[in-house]
Amino acid sequence: VTQNLTFREQLEAGIRYFDLRVSSKPGDADQEIYFIHGLFGIKVWDGLMEIDSFLTQHPQEIVFLDFNHF
């Protein structure tokens, strides 16, 4: 179980596949997209920036992002 970890912590633990469920919040004026898993989590942009930072520091790594359930 790694969902209580940040993306960075999961990457450092060896996770390379993410099943990402995303949604906007009804009535949200900003129309941001958030990661969800029962409840709304962090903004997608923030999570992707964490992953990008890791990949910049580890250019030989490959990470699979599976966006679904939008």
Side-chain angles (χ1 to χ4, degrees):
V1 176
T2 57
Q3 292 175 352
N4 62 331
L5 303 176
T6 67
F7 283 111
R8 180 73 180 208
E9 291 168 338
Q10 291 180 61
L11 289 162
E12 290 172 351
I15 303 300
R16 296 296 182 266
Y17 174 86
F18 293 94
D19 174 13
L20 304 170
R21 297 166 191 200
V22 298
S23 179
S24 57
K25 289 183 182 179
D28 185 7
D30 295 334
Q31 297 184 348
E32 289 282 348
I33 299 174
Y34 296 85
F35 292 113
I36 61 170
H37 193 77
L39 299 171
F40 286 96
I42 65 170
K43 293 178 183 176
V44 169
W45 177 259
D46 296 336
L48 293 179
M49 292 307 297
E50 255 188 87
I51 294 168
D52 180 64
S53 173
F54 176 85
L55 290 173
T56 298
Q57 294 175 352
H58 302 89
Q60 300 298 320
E61 293 288 347
I62 297 172
V63 175
F64 294 92
L65 306 176
D66 181 8
F67 288 87
N68 59 69
H69 299 285
F70 183 73

